[in-house]
Amino acid sequence: MKTALCVAMVLGLFSRAEATAAFDLLRQTAVSYTGSLPCGGWDCECAFGRQQSCCCAAQPLFDLEEATFMRMVGLWEGLSHLNSQIEELTAGCKIAFNAAMLPMSGCLGPFTSNVSISYQSVSLNQGNGYNPALGTFTAPHAGLYSFSFTAYSNVGSAGQRLYQKMQLMKNGQLIASSWEDNREDSEDSSSQTLLLQLRRGCQVYVELMSGRQLCGDTQGQNTFSGYLVYPFSEQ
């Protein structure tokens, strides 16, 4: 048993000595080598002295890692910028309102000048773009909007003049109108729906023309509504 152990120790020492001799020979050969290296620049001190994580391709690999990292940084910055643009574009996209005139048994008008109609019964005002006190919608965000308004009047009996005219305005500019002028009908209504491109801050409202009137709307059938179809950038 002891003899076998001694033999193993001797063989181990011999193997270590043989390996050391082979390594020294390899190092001397590499240091004395004067030809061209396939990798273009082997750091022999690094390769034979430290060995771990060291080879002739260390610098190219480092350059590749650095380039990859910088590209990832660029991609991250691009994604962050894109995310900011998306957030800016879609911010406040839930924009919609629906309002009606308060029920009345009498008439609104006639007036000596055009009057903005105040639709004070508000059932929806997402985005808070509609002001019921003024009857005006102010666009919180640039985009394509859809607007609708209904004109209703009931003068009570046939033979009386049904005389109404309402018009949709954008920043003081006439966009669409609806009117009725006859003595044959005592009750009538009409509606308009249209699309408008608005910038942030643009104002849309409905006005009653001078000399005209709305009567007998006891159920709040005069309505004004709108919503954002899709937003767009103002740039």
Short mmCIF file of all heavy atoms in Angstrom, two decimals, residues 146-214:
data_model
loop_
_atom_site.label_atom_id
_atom_site.label_comp_id
_atom_site.label_asym_id
_atom_site.label_seq_id
_atom_site.Cartn_x
_atom_site.Cartn_y
_atom_site.Cartn_z
N SER A 146 -65.11 65.28 -34.57
CA SER A 146 -66.45 65.18 -35.13
C SER A 146 -67.40 65.98 -34.24
O SER A 146 -67.38 65.85 -33.02
CB SER A 146 -66.90 63.71 -35.18
OG SER A 146 -68.25 63.63 -35.61
N PHE A 147 -68.25 66.82 -34.89
CA PHE A 147 -69.22 67.64 -34.15
C PHE A 147 -70.61 67.42 -34.73
O PHE A 147 -70.78 67.22 -35.94
CB PHE A 147 -68.87 69.12 -34.25
CG PHE A 147 -67.62 69.50 -33.51
CD1 PHE A 147 -66.41 69.61 -34.18
CD2 PHE A 147 -67.64 69.75 -32.15
CE1 PHE A 147 -65.25 69.95 -33.51
CE2 PHE A 147 -66.49 70.10 -31.46
CZ PHE A 147 -65.29 70.20 -32.14
N SER A 148 -71.59 67.46 -33.84
CA SER A 148 -73.00 67.36 -34.25
C SER A 148 -73.82 68.36 -33.45
O SER A 148 -73.52 68.63 -32.27
CB SER A 148 -73.54 65.94 -33.99
OG SER A 148 -72.84 64.98 -34.75
N PHE A 149 -74.83 68.92 -34.09
CA PHE A 149 -75.78 69.74 -33.35
C PHE A 149 -77.17 69.53 -33.95
O PHE A 149 -77.33 69.25 -35.14
CB PHE A 149 -75.39 71.23 -33.37
CG PHE A 149 -75.53 71.91 -34.69
CD1 PHE A 149 -76.68 72.62 -35.03
CD2 PHE A 149 -74.50 71.86 -35.63
CE1 PHE A 149 -76.82 73.26 -36.24
CE2 PHE A 149 -74.61 72.50 -36.85
CZ PHE A 149 -75.77 73.21 -37.16
N THR A 150 -78.17 69.65 -33.08
CA THR A 150 -79.56 69.49 -33.48
C THR A 150 -80.34 70.75 -33.14
O THR A 150 -80.22 71.28 -32.03
CB THR A 150 -80.21 68.29 -32.76
OG1 THR A 150 -79.54 67.09 -33.17
CG2 THR A 150 -81.68 68.18 -33.11
N ALA A 151 -81.10 71.23 -34.11
CA ALA A 151 -81.96 72.40 -33.91
C ALA A 151 -83.41 71.94 -33.85
O ALA A 151 -83.91 71.33 -34.80
CB ALA A 151 -81.75 73.40 -35.04
N TYR A 152 -84.07 72.26 -32.75
CA TYR A 152 -85.47 71.86 -32.58
C TYR A 152 -86.29 73.06 -32.12
O TYR A 152 -85.84 73.85 -31.27
CB TYR A 152 -85.59 70.75 -31.54
CG TYR A 152 -87.02 70.45 -31.16
CD1 TYR A 152 -87.80 69.58 -31.92
CD2 TYR A 152 -87.61 71.06 -30.04
CE1 TYR A 152 -89.12 69.31 -31.58
CE2 TYR A 152 -88.92 70.80 -29.69
CZ TYR A 152 -89.67 69.92 -30.46
OH TYR A 152 -90.98 69.67 -30.13
N SER A 153 -87.51 73.19 -32.68
CA SER A 153 -88.39 74.29 -32.27
C SER A 153 -89.85 73.87 -32.46
O SER A 153 -90.18 73.14 -33.40
CB SER A 153 -88.09 75.55 -33.08
OG SER A 153 -88.80 76.66 -32.56
N ASN A 154 -90.68 74.34 -31.54
CA ASN A 154 -92.12 74.05 -31.58
C ASN A 154 -92.86 75.33 -31.20
O ASN A 154 -92.83 75.76 -30.05
CB ASN A 154 -92.46 72.93 -30.60
CG ASN A 154 -93.91 72.50 -30.69
OD1 ASN A 154 -94.73 73.14 -31.36
ND2 ASN A 154 -94.23 71.40 -30.03
N VAL A 155 -93.51 75.94 -32.21
CA VAL A 155 -94.18 77.22 -31.97
C VAL A 155 -95.59 77.05 -31.40
O VAL A 155 -96.26 78.03 -31.05
CB VAL A 155 -94.24 78.06 -33.26
CG1 VAL A 155 -92.84 78.46 -33.68
CG2 VAL A 155 -94.95 77.29 -34.37
N GLY A 156 -96.04 75.81 -31.31
CA GLY A 156 -97.28 75.55 -30.60
C GLY A 156 -98.48 75.24 -31.46
O GLY A 156 -99.25 74.33 -31.16
N SER A 157 -98.70 75.98 -32.53
CA SER A 157 -99.88 75.73 -33.37
C SER A 157 -99.57 76.10 -34.81
O SER A 157 -98.72 76.95 -35.09
CB SER A 157 -101.08 76.54 -32.87
OG SER A 157 -100.79 77.93 -32.90
N ALA A 158 -100.28 75.47 -35.72
CA ALA A 158 -100.08 75.73 -37.15
C ALA A 158 -100.50 77.17 -37.46
O ALA A 158 -101.40 77.73 -36.84
CB ALA A 158 -100.89 74.75 -37.97
N GLY A 159 -99.82 77.75 -38.45
CA GLY A 159 -100.11 79.11 -38.84
C GLY A 159 -99.15 80.11 -38.25
O GLY A 159 -98.97 81.20 -38.79
N GLN A 160 -98.51 79.74 -37.11
CA GLN A 160 -97.47 80.63 -36.56
C GLN A 160 -96.16 80.37 -37.30
O GLN A 160 -95.91 79.28 -37.81
CB GLN A 160 -97.29 80.38 -35.06
CG GLN A 160 -98.53 80.69 -34.23
CD GLN A 160 -98.22 80.67 -32.75
OE1 GLN A 160 -97.21 81.21 -32.33
NE2 GLN A 160 -99.10 80.03 -31.98
N ARG A 161 -95.33 81.38 -37.32
CA ARG A 161 -94.11 81.30 -38.12
C ARG A 161 -93.03 80.50 -37.37
O ARG A 161 -92.62 80.87 -36.27
CB ARG A 161 -93.59 82.70 -38.43
CG ARG A 161 -92.44 82.69 -39.43
CD ARG A 161 -91.96 84.11 -39.71
NE ARG A 161 -90.95 84.14 -40.76
CZ ARG A 161 -90.28 85.24 -41.11
NH1 ARG A 161 -90.54 86.40 -40.49
NH2 ARG A 161 -89.39 85.19 -42.07
N LEU A 162 -92.59 79.42 -38.01
CA LEU A 162 -91.45 78.64 -37.51
C LEU A 162 -90.20 79.25 -38.13
O LEU A 162 -89.94 79.06 -39.32
CB LEU A 162 -91.62 77.17 -37.91
CG LEU A 162 -90.66 76.17 -37.28
CD1 LEU A 162 -90.86 76.12 -35.77
CD2 LEU A 162 -90.89 74.78 -37.87
N TYR A 163 -89.46 80.02 -37.33
CA TYR A 163 -88.42 80.87 -37.89
C TYR A 163 -87.14 80.69 -37.07
O TYR A 163 -86.96 81.32 -36.03
CB TYR A 163 -88.90 82.32 -37.85
CG TYR A 163 -88.07 83.29 -38.64
CD1 TYR A 163 -87.76 83.04 -39.97
CD2 TYR A 163 -87.64 84.49 -38.07
CE1 TYR A 163 -87.03 83.96 -40.71
CE2 TYR A 163 -86.90 85.41 -38.80
CZ TYR A 163 -86.60 85.14 -40.12
OH TYR A 163 -85.87 86.06 -40.85
N GLN A 164 -86.27 79.80 -37.54
CA GLN A 164 -85.05 79.50 -36.79
C GLN A 164 -83.86 79.37 -37.74
O GLN A 164 -84.00 78.98 -38.89
CB GLN A 164 -85.21 78.19 -36.01
CG GLN A 164 -85.34 76.97 -36.93
CD GLN A 164 -85.69 75.71 -36.19
OE1 GLN A 164 -86.56 75.72 -35.34
NE2 GLN A 164 -85.01 74.61 -36.52
N LYS A 165 -82.72 79.72 -37.21
CA LYS A 165 -81.47 79.48 -37.94
C LYS A 165 -80.34 79.40 -36.94
O LYS A 165 -80.11 80.32 -36.16
CB LYS A 165 -81.18 80.58 -38.97
CG LYS A 165 -79.92 80.27 -39.80
CD LYS A 165 -79.67 81.28 -40.91
CE LYS A 165 -78.46 80.90 -41.74
NZ LYS A 165 -78.20 81.86 -42.83
N MET A 166 -79.63 78.28 -36.98
CA MET A 166 -78.48 78.05 -36.10
C MET A 166 -77.28 77.74 -36.96
O MET A 166 -77.40 77.14 -38.04
CB MET A 166 -78.78 76.90 -35.14
CG MET A 166 -79.96 77.17 -34.22
SD MET A 166 -80.50 75.68 -33.36
CE MET A 166 -79.08 75.33 -32.35
N GLN A 167 -76.13 78.12 -36.48
CA GLN A 167 -74.92 77.87 -37.26
C GLN A 167 -73.75 77.48 -36.37
O GLN A 167 -73.60 77.99 -35.26
CB GLN A 167 -74.57 79.08 -38.12
CG GLN A 167 -74.47 80.39 -37.39
CD GLN A 167 -74.41 81.57 -38.36
OE1 GLN A 167 -74.95 81.53 -39.48
NE2 GLN A 167 -73.73 82.63 -37.93
N LEU A 168 -72.96 76.53 -36.88
CA LEU A 168 -71.76 76.07 -36.17
C LEU A 168 -70.59 76.97 -36.55
O LEU A 168 -70.33 77.19 -37.74
CB LEU A 168 -71.46 74.62 -36.53
CG LEU A 168 -70.29 73.98 -35.78
CD1 LEU A 168 -70.74 73.57 -34.38
CD2 LEU A 168 -69.77 72.74 -36.52
N MET A 169 -69.88 77.42 -35.54
CA MET A 169 -68.78 78.36 -35.75
C MET A 169 -67.45 77.76 -35.27
O MET A 169 -67.42 77.05 -34.26
CB MET A 169 -69.05 79.66 -35.01
CG MET A 169 -70.42 80.28 -35.27
SD MET A 169 -70.61 80.88 -36.96
CE MET A 169 -69.47 82.28 -36.96
N LYS A 170 -66.40 78.07 -35.98
CA LYS A 170 -65.05 77.70 -35.57
C LYS A 170 -64.20 78.96 -35.54
O LYS A 170 -63.95 79.57 -36.59
CB LYS A 170 -64.44 76.67 -36.53
CG LYS A 170 -62.96 76.40 -36.30
CD LYS A 170 -62.37 75.55 -37.41
CE LYS A 170 -60.85 75.46 -37.31
NZ LYS A 170 -60.26 74.71 -38.45
N ASN A 171 -63.78 79.35 -34.36
CA ASN A 171 -62.97 80.57 -34.19
C ASN A 171 -63.61 81.77 -34.91
O ASN A 171 -62.92 82.55 -35.56
CB ASN A 171 -61.55 80.35 -34.70
CG ASN A 171 -60.78 79.32 -33.90
OD1 ASN A 171 -61.06 79.09 -32.72
ND2 ASN A 171 -59.80 78.69 -34.53
N GLY A 172 -64.93 81.88 -34.81
CA GLY A 172 -65.63 83.01 -35.42
C GLY A 172 -65.95 82.84 -36.88
O GLY A 172 -66.57 83.72 -37.49
N GLN A 173 -65.58 81.70 -37.46
CA GLN A 173 -65.82 81.45 -38.89
C GLN A 173 -67.01 80.50 -39.05
O GLN A 173 -67.10 79.47 -38.37
CB GLN A 173 -64.58 80.84 -39.53
CG GLN A 173 -64.76 80.46 -40.99
CD GLN A 173 -63.55 79.73 -41.55
OE1 GLN A 173 -62.59 79.46 -40.84
NE2 GLN A 173 -63.62 79.40 -42.84
N LEU A 174 -67.93 80.84 -39.95
CA LEU A 174 -69.09 80.00 -40.20
C LEU A 174 -68.67 78.70 -40.88
O LEU A 174 -67.99 78.71 -41.91
CB LEU A 174 -70.09 80.75 -41.10
CG LEU A 174 -71.31 79.95 -41.59
CD1 LEU A 174 -72.16 79.48 -40.42
CD2 LEU A 174 -72.12 80.79 -42.57
N ILE A 175 -69.10 77.57 -40.31
CA ILE A 175 -68.76 76.26 -40.86
C ILE A 175 -69.98 75.56 -41.45
O ILE A 175 -69.93 75.03 -42.55
CB ILE A 175 -68.12 75.36 -39.78
CG1 ILE A 175 -66.86 76.02 -39.20
CG2 ILE A 175 -67.78 73.99 -40.34
CD1 ILE A 175 -65.76 76.25 -40.21
N ALA A 176 -71.09 75.56 -40.72
CA ALA A 176 -72.31 74.90 -41.20
C ALA A 176 -73.50 75.56 -40.53
O ALA A 176 -73.39 76.18 -39.47
CB ALA A 176 -72.27 73.42 -40.87
N SER A 177 -74.66 75.43 -41.16
CA SER A 177 -75.88 76.05 -40.60
C SER A 177 -77.09 75.18 -40.86
O SER A 177 -77.08 74.28 -41.72
CB SER A 177 -76.09 77.44 -41.19
OG SER A 177 -76.26 77.38 -42.59
N SER A 178 -78.15 75.45 -40.09
CA SER A 178 -79.41 74.75 -40.24
C SER A 178 -80.53 75.75 -39.99
O SER A 178 -80.47 76.51 -39.01
CB SER A 178 -79.50 73.60 -39.23
OG SER A 178 -80.75 72.96 -39.30
N TRP A 179 -81.54 75.79 -40.87
CA TRP A 179 -82.58 76.80 -40.70
C TRP A 179 -83.94 76.28 -41.13
O TRP A 179 -84.07 75.27 -41.83
CB TRP A 179 -82.22 78.06 -41.49
CG TRP A 179 -82.22 77.87 -42.97
CD1 TRP A 179 -83.25 78.08 -43.83
CD2 TRP A 179 -81.12 77.47 -43.78
NE1 TRP A 179 -82.89 77.82 -45.12
CE2 TRP A 179 -81.57 77.44 -45.12
CE3 TRP A 179 -79.80 77.10 -43.50
CZ2 TRP A 179 -80.74 77.07 -46.17
CZ3 TRP A 179 -78.97 76.73 -44.54
CH2 TRP A 179 -79.45 76.72 -45.85
N GLU A 180 -84.97 77.00 -40.72
CA GLU A 180 -86.36 76.71 -41.08
C GLU A 180 -87.13 78.02 -41.07
O GLU A 180 -86.99 78.83 -40.15
CB GLU A 180 -86.98 75.73 -40.06
CG GLU A 180 -88.38 75.26 -40.42
CD GLU A 180 -88.39 74.36 -41.64
OE1 GLU A 180 -87.45 73.54 -41.79
OE2 GLU A 180 -89.33 74.48 -42.46
N ASP A 181 -87.93 78.22 -42.13
CA ASP A 181 -88.74 79.45 -42.22
C ASP A 181 -90.03 79.12 -42.96
O ASP A 181 -90.07 79.13 -44.19
CB ASP A 181 -87.94 80.55 -42.93
CG ASP A 181 -88.69 81.87 -42.98
OD1 ASP A 181 -89.77 81.96 -42.33
OD2 ASP A 181 -88.21 82.80 -43.65
N ASN A 182 -91.09 78.81 -42.23
CA ASN A 182 -92.38 78.54 -42.87
C ASN A 182 -93.51 78.67 -41.84
O ASN A 182 -93.28 78.73 -40.64
CB ASN A 182 -92.39 77.16 -43.54
CG ASN A 182 -92.38 76.03 -42.55
OD1 ASN A 182 -93.35 75.81 -41.83
ND2 ASN A 182 -91.26 75.28 -42.52
N ARG A 183 -94.73 78.69 -42.34
CA ARG A 183 -95.92 78.76 -41.49
C ARG A 183 -96.76 77.49 -41.62
O ARG A 183 -97.89 77.43 -41.11
CB ARG A 183 -96.76 79.98 -41.87
CG ARG A 183 -96.07 81.31 -41.59
CD ARG A 183 -96.97 82.48 -41.95
NE ARG A 183 -96.30 83.76 -41.73
CZ ARG A 183 -96.31 84.42 -40.57
NH1 ARG A 183 -96.96 83.91 -39.53
NH2 ARG A 183 -95.69 85.58 -40.45
N GLU A 184 -96.22 76.49 -42.28
CA GLU A 184 -96.95 75.26 -42.50
C GLU A 184 -96.74 74.27 -41.35
O GLU A 184 -97.62 73.48 -41.03
CB GLU A 184 -96.54 74.63 -43.82
CG GLU A 184 -96.85 75.50 -45.03
CD GLU A 184 -96.31 74.91 -46.32
OE1 GLU A 184 -95.69 73.81 -46.25
OE2 GLU A 184 -96.52 75.51 -47.39
N ASP A 185 -95.52 74.28 -40.79
CA ASP A 185 -95.20 73.35 -39.72
C ASP A 185 -95.11 74.10 -38.39
O ASP A 185 -94.48 75.16 -38.31
CB ASP A 185 -93.87 72.64 -39.99
CG ASP A 185 -93.88 71.88 -41.30
OD1 ASP A 185 -94.92 71.27 -41.60
OD2 ASP A 185 -92.86 71.91 -42.00
N SER A 186 -95.68 73.52 -37.37
CA SER A 186 -95.57 74.14 -36.05
C SER A 186 -94.38 73.56 -35.28
O SER A 186 -93.94 74.13 -34.28
CB SER A 186 -96.85 73.92 -35.24
OG SER A 186 -97.09 72.52 -35.06
N GLU A 187 -93.86 72.44 -35.76
CA GLU A 187 -92.75 71.77 -35.07
C GLU A 187 -91.79 71.20 -36.11
O GLU A 187 -92.22 70.60 -37.10
CB GLU A 187 -93.28 70.65 -34.17
CG GLU A 187 -92.21 69.91 -33.40
CD GLU A 187 -92.80 68.79 -32.57
OE1 GLU A 187 -93.94 68.36 -32.86
OE2 GLU A 187 -92.12 68.33 -31.63
N ASP A 188 -90.51 71.39 -35.86
CA ASP A 188 -89.53 70.87 -36.82
C ASP A 188 -88.18 70.74 -36.14
O ASP A 188 -87.90 71.38 -35.11
CB ASP A 188 -89.40 71.79 -38.04
CG ASP A 188 -88.99 71.01 -39.29
OD1 ASP A 188 -88.45 69.90 -39.13
OD2 ASP A 188 -89.21 71.51 -40.41
N SER A 189 -87.33 69.90 -36.72
CA SER A 189 -85.95 69.73 -36.22
C SER A 189 -85.03 69.36 -37.37
O SER A 189 -85.48 68.86 -38.41
CB SER A 189 -85.89 68.65 -35.13
OG SER A 189 -86.17 67.38 -35.68
N SER A 190 -83.77 69.60 -37.17
CA SER A 190 -82.75 69.25 -38.16
C SER A 190 -81.43 69.03 -37.44
O SER A 190 -81.22 69.54 -36.32
CB SER A 190 -82.60 70.35 -39.22
OG SER A 190 -82.21 71.57 -38.62
N SER A 191 -80.55 68.29 -38.08
CA SER A 191 -79.25 67.97 -37.47
C SER A 191 -78.14 68.12 -38.49
O SER A 191 -78.35 67.95 -39.70
CB SER A 191 -79.24 66.55 -36.90
OG SER A 191 -80.19 66.40 -35.88
N GLN A 192 -76.95 68.40 -37.98
CA GLN A 192 -75.76 68.50 -38.81
C GLN A 192 -74.63 67.76 -38.11
O GLN A 192 -74.47 67.84 -36.89
CB GLN A 192 -75.34 69.96 -39.01
CG GLN A 192 -76.26 70.76 -39.92
CD GLN A 192 -75.82 70.68 -41.38
OE1 GLN A 192 -75.09 69.77 -41.76
NE2 GLN A 192 -76.27 71.63 -42.19
N THR A 193 -73.85 67.03 -38.88
CA THR A 193 -72.65 66.36 -38.37
C THR A 193 -71.51 66.62 -39.35
O THR A 193 -71.69 66.49 -40.56
CB THR A 193 -72.86 64.84 -38.22
OG1 THR A 193 -73.92 64.60 -37.29
CG2 THR A 193 -71.60 64.16 -37.72
N LEU A 194 -70.36 66.97 -38.82
CA LEU A 194 -69.22 67.28 -39.69
C LEU A 194 -67.92 67.02 -38.98
O LEU A 194 -67.87 66.90 -37.75
CB LEU A 194 -69.29 68.72 -40.16
CG LEU A 194 -69.19 69.82 -39.10
CD1 LEU A 194 -68.67 71.10 -39.72
CD2 LEU A 194 -70.57 70.09 -38.48
N LEU A 195 -66.85 66.94 -39.76
CA LEU A 195 -65.50 66.73 -39.25
C LEU A 195 -64.70 68.02 -39.38
O LEU A 195 -64.78 68.70 -40.41
CB LEU A 195 -64.80 65.61 -40.02
CG LEU A 195 -65.42 64.21 -39.91
CD1 LEU A 195 -64.70 63.26 -40.85
CD2 LEU A 195 -65.33 63.70 -38.48
N LEU A 196 -63.91 68.31 -38.35
CA LEU A 196 -63.08 69.51 -38.37
C LEU A 196 -61.68 69.18 -37.87
O LEU A 196 -61.52 68.45 -36.89
CB LEU A 196 -63.68 70.60 -37.46
CG LEU A 196 -64.95 71.29 -37.92
CD1 LEU A 196 -65.40 72.29 -36.85
CD2 LEU A 196 -64.73 72.01 -39.24
N GLN A 197 -60.68 69.73 -38.55
CA GLN A 197 -59.31 69.65 -38.05
C GLN A 197 -59.08 70.85 -37.15
O GLN A 197 -59.24 72.00 -37.57
CB GLN A 197 -58.30 69.65 -39.20
CG GLN A 197 -58.31 68.39 -40.05
CD GLN A 197 -57.17 68.35 -41.05
OE1 GLN A 197 -56.25 69.15 -40.99
NE2 GLN A 197 -57.25 67.42 -41.99
N LEU A 198 -58.68 70.56 -35.92
CA LEU A 198 -58.47 71.63 -34.94
C LEU A 198 -57.06 71.60 -34.38
O LEU A 198 -56.49 70.52 -34.18
CB LEU A 198 -59.47 71.50 -33.77
CG LEU A 198 -60.97 71.51 -34.09
CD1 LEU A 198 -61.77 71.40 -32.80
CD2 LEU A 198 -61.36 72.75 -34.87
N ARG A 199 -56.55 72.78 -34.14
CA ARG A 199 -55.33 72.90 -33.36
C ARG A 199 -55.71 73.10 -31.90
O ARG A 199 -56.84 73.46 -31.59
CB ARG A 199 -54.47 74.07 -33.85
CG ARG A 199 -53.92 73.88 -35.25
CD ARG A 199 -53.00 75.04 -35.65
NE ARG A 199 -52.42 74.83 -36.96
CZ ARG A 199 -51.31 74.14 -37.18
NH1 ARG A 199 -50.67 73.58 -36.15
NH2 ARG A 199 -50.83 73.99 -38.40
N ARG A 200 -54.77 72.84 -31.02
CA ARG A 200 -55.07 73.04 -29.61
C ARG A 200 -55.44 74.50 -29.36
O ARG A 200 -54.76 75.41 -29.82
CB ARG A 200 -53.85 72.68 -28.75
CG ARG A 200 -54.14 72.72 -27.25
CD ARG A 200 -52.97 72.22 -26.46
NE ARG A 200 -51.79 73.05 -26.66
CZ ARG A 200 -50.62 72.85 -26.06
NH1 ARG A 200 -50.48 71.81 -25.24
NH2 ARG A 200 -49.60 73.64 -26.28
N GLY A 201 -56.54 74.71 -28.67
CA GLY A 201 -57.00 76.06 -28.38
C GLY A 201 -58.07 76.57 -29.32
O GLY A 201 -58.69 77.61 -29.05
N CYS A 202 -58.31 75.85 -30.44
CA CYS A 202 -59.39 76.26 -31.35
C CYS A 202 -60.73 76.13 -30.63
O CYS A 202 -60.94 75.21 -29.84
CB CYS A 202 -59.38 75.39 -32.60
SG CYS A 202 -58.07 75.76 -33.79
N GLN A 203 -61.64 77.05 -30.95
CA GLN A 203 -62.95 77.07 -30.29
C GLN A 203 -64.07 76.81 -31.30
O GLN A 203 -64.07 77.34 -32.41
CB GLN A 203 -63.18 78.40 -29.59
CG GLN A 203 -62.22 78.62 -28.41
CD GLN A 203 -62.57 79.85 -27.61
OE1 GLN A 203 -63.04 80.85 -28.15
NE2 GLN A 203 -62.33 79.78 -26.31
N VAL A 204 -65.02 75.97 -30.86
CA VAL A 204 -66.18 75.61 -31.69
C VAL A 204 -67.43 75.83 -30.85
O VAL A 204 -67.47 75.43 -29.68
CB VAL A 204 -66.09 74.15 -32.16
CG1 VAL A 204 -67.33 73.77 -32.98
CG2 VAL A 204 -64.83 73.92 -33.00
N TYR A 205 -68.44 76.44 -31.45
CA TYR A 205 -69.69 76.70 -30.74
C TYR A 205 -70.83 76.85 -31.73
O TYR A 205 -70.61 76.94 -32.95
CB TYR A 205 -69.57 77.98 -29.88
CG TYR A 205 -69.13 79.21 -30.64
CD1 TYR A 205 -70.07 80.09 -31.18
CD2 TYR A 205 -67.78 79.49 -30.83
CE1 TYR A 205 -69.68 81.22 -31.88
CE2 TYR A 205 -67.37 80.60 -31.53
CZ TYR A 205 -68.33 81.47 -32.06
OH TYR A 205 -67.92 82.59 -32.76
N VAL A 206 -72.05 76.85 -31.22
CA VAL A 206 -73.25 77.01 -32.04
C VAL A 206 -73.91 78.32 -31.64
O VAL A 206 -74.06 78.62 -30.45
CB VAL A 206 -74.23 75.84 -31.84
CG1 VAL A 206 -75.49 76.06 -32.67
CG2 VAL A 206 -73.56 74.52 -32.22
N GLU A 207 -74.32 79.10 -32.62
CA GLU A 207 -74.98 80.36 -32.31
C GLU A 207 -76.34 80.46 -33.00
O GLU A 207 -76.57 79.87 -34.06
CB GLU A 207 -74.10 81.55 -32.67
CG GLU A 207 -73.79 81.70 -34.13
CD GLU A 207 -72.89 82.91 -34.40
OE1 GLU A 207 -72.25 83.43 -33.45
OE2 GLU A 207 -72.81 83.33 -35.58
N LEU A 208 -77.23 81.21 -32.35
CA LEU A 208 -78.56 81.50 -32.89
C LEU A 208 -78.47 82.82 -33.64
O LEU A 208 -77.99 83.82 -33.10
CB LEU A 208 -79.59 81.60 -31.77
CG LEU A 208 -81.03 81.93 -32.16
CD1 LEU A 208 -81.63 80.81 -33.01
CD2 LEU A 208 -81.87 82.17 -30.90
N MET A 209 -78.92 82.81 -34.90
CA MET A 209 -78.84 84.01 -35.72
C MET A 209 -79.76 85.11 -35.18
O MET A 209 -80.82 84.83 -34.59
CB MET A 209 -79.22 83.69 -37.17
CG MET A 209 -78.19 82.85 -37.90
SD MET A 209 -76.70 83.78 -38.28
CE MET A 209 -77.35 84.95 -39.48
N SER A 210 -79.37 86.33 -35.41
CA SER A 210 -80.18 87.47 -34.98
C SER A 210 -81.56 87.44 -35.65
O SER A 210 -81.68 87.06 -36.82
CB SER A 210 -79.47 88.78 -35.32
OG SER A 210 -79.30 88.91 -36.73
N GLY A 211 -82.59 87.81 -34.90
CA GLY A 211 -83.95 87.82 -35.43
C GLY A 211 -84.62 86.46 -35.46
O GLY A 211 -85.80 86.35 -35.79
N ARG A 212 -83.89 85.39 -35.13
CA ARG A 212 -84.46 84.04 -35.14
C ARG A 212 -84.71 83.57 -33.71
O ARG A 212 -84.21 84.15 -32.74
CB ARG A 212 -83.51 83.06 -35.85
CG ARG A 212 -83.09 83.50 -37.27
CD ARG A 212 -84.28 83.64 -38.20
NE ARG A 212 -83.88 84.09 -39.52
CZ ARG A 212 -83.72 83.28 -40.56
NH1 ARG A 212 -83.90 81.98 -40.43
NH2 ARG A 212 -83.37 83.77 -41.74
N GLN A 213 -85.47 82.47 -33.57
CA GLN A 213 -85.81 82.01 -32.24
C GLN A 213 -85.98 80.49 -32.20
O GLN A 213 -86.27 79.85 -33.22
CB GLN A 213 -87.09 82.68 -31.75
CG GLN A 213 -88.31 82.41 -32.63
CD GLN A 213 -89.55 83.17 -32.19
OE1 GLN A 213 -89.49 83.97 -31.24
NE2 GLN A 213 -90.67 82.92 -32.85
N LEU A 214 -85.81 79.93 -31.01
CA LEU A 214 -86.08 78.52 -30.74
C LEU A 214 -87.16 78.48 -29.67
O LEU A 214 -87.04 79.13 -28.63
CB LEU A 214 -84.82 77.81 -30.24
CG LEU A 214 -83.66 77.69 -31.24
CD1 LEU A 214 -82.43 77.13 -30.53
CD2 LEU A 214 -84.05 76.81 -32.41
#
